[in-house]
Amino acid sequence: MPLDPLPVPREDIEMTDSTATSNHAAVLEAQFGLHGVELRINLGKEELFEEAIANDRGRTREGGPDTDQKAFRTKLGVHGPLVYYTDPTCTGRPVKDTFGVATPELEDKIWWKPDFQKFDPDKFDALFDRVVAHLNENASHLYVKDVYCGSDPSYARPYRLVSEYASHSFFCHNMFNHGIDGVENEDGKRWTMINAPSFHCDPERDGTPSNRIACLDFKNRRVLVAGRADYCGVVKKSMFTVMNYLLPEMGEMSMHCSANVGEQGDGAILFGLSGTGKTTLSADPNRKLIGDDEHAWTRIGVSNLEGGCYAKLINLDKEDEPVIAAAMSMAGTIIENVPPLPGKKMEDLDPQELDLFDNSVTENTRFSYPLAANPNVMPGAKGGHPETIVLLTADAFGVLPPVSILDKKAVMYHFVSGFTAKLAGTEVGITEPKAAFSACFGAPFMAQFPSRYAELLAEKMGQHDTRCILLNTGWGGGPYGIGKRISIKHTRALLDAALNGQLDGVETEMHPVLNLAMPTSCPGVPSEILNPRNTWEDKEAYDAAAEKLRGMFHQNFEDKGFGKLGIEPAM
């Protein structure tokens, strides 16, 4: 449904600092009632670096005050990363506090679910006004950052972040695009986020389950983040959810995936949830990167919704991940929730000295860096139509094959199933791997029903004769706690073989329980690990685990009603 443009003044492209300030102030007052607060507009990253260290204050320790310093420099100063710490209760997405405004005209189009619940429109309006009044009265200054979500003007949306923390403005500058020419009617398409950690919600008064909220208002193109919800990922995932609603409305595909292009122009899409390897596997020195997390597949091909990467740092092997390791010493990057070494101040440490295995703050330590920090990036963060689709999963049960070749029926089944394990730390409350089914490999962010994305994927795969594999980056030889994680070396060899067409027409054997086509050989990979049953000492235990996993797939398919949506069972 087209959204009516809000009546706001048009911004001039070129203006003096004072004109820009008065223009932004007029717009924000007209739209939201924000006034009397100093606006620090579109500061550069060096300025934001210093502002974050000097001004960002909040809680960083359980039971600690709301006056702790949130951002720090390393020994490299402004020439290295900014190190930022979230509230200890928000080291991942605040799933139970994420909502959408249930306006009557959109209510039936949104896929409501436990991690994206309905919020009453009247209560939201009242809460939004209270947050604005709080900022008007208490904020000495706010940071305004103007960027774009999307790298192609045919669908890109202007995005304005108004935040209390300079760290969030810095992150937004990293993670989104700048200067997208040709976007028509920018004022009528712009989304605005008000991000106010200092406002603590009152559940009884505000209708929230806790003292924080992250809520999207699709009708009025606004996002409210308030309270202890200062994980940087909220700034980007909110807009991804927005685009997951808007792109299908245009007849285009939005995707939770990474994407890159080989030397022969052969494009690839890698679907997967956080922690399954999207960022890691897309950072390939032999392929040009389009992006690591959020993309659109439109009539012109694949393009990035973002301008940066947001990688997990926990247990990072620097030899296996040289691109990410090198970026840790670059200016204009943000390290999130990695603690200093014991007895050392962060300002005395080189970023390469940090212990990336230290999970004392969280398992979900993160690193934000510009897309340009990668040595091989596609011009304009765009590519053609993909030749290969990869569905990534991290099987905590050790049952799935390392790689399976999927036909169209199996693609649709496994795409809407979205099986993986929620790896520790990617969401609040998850401390060990837990089996999960997440439709389209990103259910929390999918604003429309899964069948809509499945229809679009099938349509585009058919148009462009795209191959597909299911790639397991999880465990082999037994379940988590007994088996071992499949080595990155073998995973990369399997992926390379698929991308190079070396698995096309290869001999396969069918998994007798899971009905998956398993290659019997692959260059650079021991053939005995390609059938996971071979890696288990106790074959009967494997068979029982496989039966159990198949039952979980069947139950999920039934519970979600995928059959009624036209998806055929493939297992």
Side-chain angles (χ1 to χ4, degrees):
M1 176 181 295
L3 301 178
D4 295 332
L6 295 174
V8 297
R10 175 66 184 168
E11 292 180 53
D12 296 326
I13 295 175
E14 296 183 3
M15 55 183 74
T16 64
D17 290 344
S18 60
T19 304
T21 300
S22 61
N23 185 281
H24 278 77
V27 170
L28 292 172
E29 182 169 5
Q31 284 186 320
F32 309 121
L34 192 65
H35 62 84
V37 181
E38 178 194 348
L39 301 179
R40 300 182 181 179
I41 300 167
N42 292 325
L43 300 184
K45 286 204 286 186
E46 288 194 9
E47 292 175 289
L48 289 169
F49 182 96
E50 301 295 349
E51 291 271 335
I53 293 168
N55 298 324
D56 289 0
R57 296 294 182 271
R59 196 172 69 165
T60 61
R61 298 165 287 148
E62 284 281 2
D66 287 317
T67 54
D68 279 351
Q69 183 175 339
K70 300 280 284 185
F72 298 82
R73 69 181 79 243
T74 67
K75 189 176 182 178
L76 300 183
V78 73
H79 303 294
L82 181 71
V83 182
Y84 169 77
Y85 295 96
T86 68
D87 187 277
T89 66
C90 195
T91 57
R93 292 183 300 104
V95 176
K96 295 179 181 179
D97 301 290
T98 301
F99 297 87
V101 180
T103 51
E105 58 267 53
L106 296 174
E107 186 172 3
D108 292 339
K109 291 186 67 80
I110 306 296
W111 183 31
W112 305 108
K113 43 197 176 291
D115 38 22
F116 192 66
Q117 301 176 61
K118 297 180 183 181
F119 202 86
D120 179 81
D122 292 336
K123 288 185 177 181
F124 180 77
D125 288 341
L127 175 57
F128 194 97
D129 290 345
R130 276 192 287 273
V131 173
V132 170
H134 166 83
L135 293 174
N136 289 340
E137 182 177 350
N138 297 290
S140 62
H141 61 270
L142 294 169
Y143 299 95
V144 180
K145 178 62 66 174
D146 289 308
V147 292
Y148 294 85
C149 190
S151 53
D152 188 88
S154 66
Y155 69 83
R157 288 296 185 267
Y159 176 33
R160 175 169 291 162
L161 172 67
V162 181
S163 61
E164 290 189 290
Y165 288 169
S167 297
H168 288 153
S169 194
F170 191 122
F171 176 85
C172 186
H173 188 110
N174 257 4
M175 296 307 302
F176 289 93
N177 295 295
H178 304 262
I180 304 297
D181 295 328
V183 178
E184 299 178 355
N185 185 26
E186 290 203 13
D187 292 334
K189 294 178 178 177
R190 179 175 291 109
W191 277 74
T192 301
M193 173 185 283
I194 304 293
N195 194 315
S198 70
F199 181 94
H200 294 173
C201 301
D202 180 335
E204 185 174 344
R205 177 195 65 194
D206 299 325
T208 58
S210 73
N211 64 5
R212 66 185 173 205
I213 191 173
C215 190
L216 281 62
D217 181 358
F218 290 95
K219 179 181 178 181
N220 297 300
R221 301 190 313 277
R222 57 184 178 170
V223 182
L224 176 65
V225 180
R228 303 189 192 282
D230 58 359
Y231 174 61
C232 285
V234 174
V235 172
K236 84 177 200 114
K237 287 300 186 184
S238 298
M239 271 310 290
F240 181 41
T241 305
V242 168
M243 299 305 287
N244 282 336
Y245 177 80
L246 295 177
L247 279 163
E249 289 293 284
M250 305 175 200
E252 307 291 13
M253 179 73 176
S254 56
M255 304 176 293
H256 188 210
C257 67
S258 59
N260 58 28
V261 180
E263 295 177 354
Q264 306 302 316
D266 51 306
I269 290 172
L270 291 81
F271 284 99
L273 294 174
S274 296
T276 56
K278 291 191 318 299
T279 299
T280 297
L281 294 171
S282 59
D284 185 334
N286 297 316
R287 298 178 65 83
K288 289 187 181 294
L289 184 69
I290 297 176
D292 81 321
D293 198 39
E294 299 164 2
H295 294 81
W297 187 356
T298 67
R299 295 170 182 82
I300 63 169
V302 174
S303 54
N304 200 340
L305 296 181
E306 304 179 289
C309 302
Y310 194 39
K312 288 195 73 173
L313 280 184
I314 197 69
N315 301 334
L316 184 85
D317 186 316
K318 293 181 181 180
E319 291 186 4
D320 285 338
E321 308 298 340
V323 172
I324 297 172
M328 286 177 58
S329 295
M330 292 182 180
T333 62
I334 304 176
I335 293 174
E336 190 173 15
N337 284 330
V338 176
L341 296 178
K344 297 269 191 173
K345 292 183 177 180
M346 187 61 72
E347 63 190 26
D348 296 327
L349 290 171
D350 186 286
Q352 298 298 335
E353 296 179 81
L354 293 173
D355 181 4
L356 302 185
F357 292 83
D358 187 340
N359 64 354
S360 59
V361 175
T362 177
E363 289 279 350
N364 193 34
T365 53
R366 287 279 177 170
F367 181 48
S368 166
Y369 57 102
L371 192 63
N374 293 277
N376 298 311
V377 178
M378 284 295 290
K382 302 174 187 177
H385 299 288
E387 294 183 13
T388 306
I389 290 177
V390 180
L391 306 184
L392 290 165
T393 184
D395 174 20
F397 298 110
V399 169
L400 288 177
V403 67
S404 307
I405 299 172
L406 305 183
D407 59 19
K408 179 181 177 180
K409 178 180 175 181
V411 170
M412 295 300 98
Y413 181 82
H414 286 279
F415 179 67
V416 299
S417 295
F419 169 75
T420 189
K422 286 183 178 178
L423 300 184
T426 57
E427 293 181 7
V428 174
I430 302 298
T431 57
E432 62 182 23
K434 180 181 178 181
F437 291 89
S438 186
C440 312
F441 293 90
F445 321 117
M446 298 298 147
Q448 298 210 24
F449 291 94
S451 55
R452 179 61 179 139
Y453 305 103
E455 290 166 1
L456 287 165
L457 182 62
E459 175 185 308
K460 291 187 179 295
M461 286 185 65
Q463 289 173 351
H464 304 289
D465 194 24
T466 308
R467 67 171 73 92
C468 185
I469 63 167
L470 179 67
L471 188 65
N472 178 23
T473 63
W475 284 259
Y480 171 79
I482 297 176
K484 293 182 179 180
R485 197 79 189 255
I486 298 169
S487 76
I488 185 91
K489 178 182 177 181
H490 290 155
T491 296
R492 283 197 181 278
L494 291 166
L495 177 60
D496 288 345
L499 296 176
N500 296 332
Q502 292 173 297
L503 298 184
D504 294 349
V506 72
E507 182 181 350
T508 62
E509 59 176 316
M510 295 303 296
H511 194 289
V513 177
L514 304 178
N515 196 35
L516 290 167
M518 305 176 293
T520 58
S521 63
C522 177
V525 180
S527 59
E528 59 268 18
I529 76 166
L530 296 176
N531 184 331
R533 191 174 190 270
N534 296 335
T535 66
W536 284 51
E537 288 188 17
D538 188 336
K539 309 301 183 189
E540 291 185 0
Y542 175 83
D543 293 341
E547 293 281 355
K548 181 179 179 181
L549 181 59
R550 183 177 64 178
M552 293 173 64
F553 270 89
H554 287 176
Q555 189 64 52
N556 177 70
F557 189 85
E558 182 68 23
D559 290 346
K560 301 288 176 58
F562 290 142
K564 296 177 181 178
L565 298 176
I567 307 298
E568 294 185 63
M571 185 180 291

